[in-house]
Amino acid sequence: MGNVIQKYSTKEVSRLLKIPVGNLRKWERTFEGMLYVQRTKTGARLYTDYEIDTLKKIKLLKDKNIKDEDVKYILETNIQVEYNDESDEKEESEDYNQYEMMISLQHETVESVEKLTNSIFSFKEEVLQETKEEIKNEVKKEINLGHNKTTSLVQSYSQMLLDTSDQTKDELQRLRQEIEQENEEKLFIHQKLEEREVHFQEFVQHFREAAASKQEQSIKTKMSKWLSHFTKDKKEEDSIKPHY
């Protein structure tokens, strides 16, 4: 039969490595991806020899007050970490110096990367500034060119408006003269109509007077004729009457 993988509970690991249960759970979260703790159906944690070995390394590094990010770096780069409770101070000092050297190297690498990043950023800023200046100059040229074109166009439109304004003034003057002439003609016609109306009224009055005078003369003539006939008849009657 194959080898059976030994599994340990949280309490067993805590007692074996002398690590508080709270630290085990905290390290499981902090160093996620480096500790592969299995769970039972009820949620209980199970540790294998691999997790125990990793926990030994973490405990050794944490006991030396190494920061969590440095611990992660050491574990990720697989730097050899020896866990030996019976090792003397000299060995621990050598290990600690080795860790310090690796950490210092890591810090120097980070600083170099930061300097390189800053240099790239500075170069990028310079390129952007130069590009902005070039764009600004090009924009100024375009603006000046557009301004000249706009000025010429405005002058052209202004002259056209002036010409149109002069034409409009002439046209308005001509229309004003035509209106005045038309008003004068209307006034003249109105006066003629008034004069004709007066003449017509005078004619009507004269006609009425003439008609009345003619009628009166006719009546007089008729009366004269009637009186003449009456007188004539009377004389004839008197002449033929017998004389007694």
Side-chain angles (χ1 to χ4, degrees), residues 168-217:
T168 304
K169 289 181 180 179
D170 294 339
E171 185 68 19
L172 289 174
Q173 184 66 25
R174 184 183 64 79
L175 290 174
R176 187 179 294 109
Q177 291 176 353
E178 290 182 355
I179 292 172
E180 290 177 355
Q181 183 178 357
E182 184 178 355
N183 289 334
E184 290 177 357
E185 291 177 355
K186 287 181 178 180
L187 181 60
F188 176 76
I189 292 172
H190 183 70
Q191 291 175 350
K192 289 298 181 182
L193 289 174
E194 287 182 349
E195 291 177 359
R196 290 182 180 181
E197 180 67 20
V198 172
H199 292 162
F200 178 74
Q201 293 295 334
E202 290 177 352
F203 171 77
V204 170
Q205 184 66 27
H206 179 72
F207 177 79
R208 287 177 178 176
E209 292 176 354
S213 177
K214 185 177 181 180
Q215 184 178 5
E216 183 180 357
Q217 184 66 32

Side-chain angles (χ1 to χ4, degrees), residues 46 53 100 128 144 164 188 243:
L46 294 177
D53 183 61
E100 286 291 330
L128 286 175
N144 291 332
T164 304
F188 176 76
H243 295 279

Side-chain angles (χ1 to χ4, degrees), residues 2 4 30 46 74 96 116 147 176 207 215 217 235 244:
V4 178
T30 303
L46 294 177
I74 293 171
Y96 182 75
L116 179 60
H147 176 72
R176 187 179 294 109
F207 177 79
Q215 184 178 5
Q217 184 66 32
K235 288 180 177 182
Y244 298 97

Side-chain angles (χ1 to χ4, degrees), residues 80-140:
Q80 187 66 27
V81 178
E82 295 294 338
Y83 184 84
N84 187 355
D85 290 334
E86 297 177 357
S87 61
D88 55 17
E89 294 180 357
K90 182 177 179 180
E91 290 177 348
E92 290 182 358
S93 177
E94 290 177 356
D95 291 339
Y96 182 75
N97 291 335
Q98 183 181 6
Y99 303 146
E100 286 291 330
M101 182 182 66
M102 294 302 299
I103 292 171
S104 176
L105 180 62
Q106 179 192 14
H107 290 165
E108 290 178 359
T109 303
V110 172
E111 290 177 358
S112 299
V113 171
E114 289 179 352
K115 289 180 180 179
L116 179 60
T117 302
N118 292 333
S119 298
I120 294 174
F121 181 77
S122 177
F123 176 74
K124 180 181 178 181
E125 287 295 323
E126 291 178 359
V127 172
L128 286 175
Q129 188 64 30
E130 292 177 358
T131 304
K132 287 180 180 179
E133 290 296 329
E134 291 178 359
I135 293 174
K136 188 184 294 184
N137 293 332
E138 290 296 326
V139 171
K140 286 182 179 179

Side-chain angles (χ1 to χ4, degrees), residues 65-89:
N65 296 322
I66 296 176
K67 297 179 181 179
D68 290 341
E69 54 268 22
D70 295 332
V71 173
K72 288 181 181 180
Y73 176 76
I74 293 171
L75 294 177
E76 288 174 350
T77 53
N78 294 321
I79 297 174
Q80 187 66 27
V81 178
E82 295 294 338
Y83 184 84
N84 187 355
D85 290 334
E86 297 177 357
S87 61
D88 55 17
E89 294 180 357

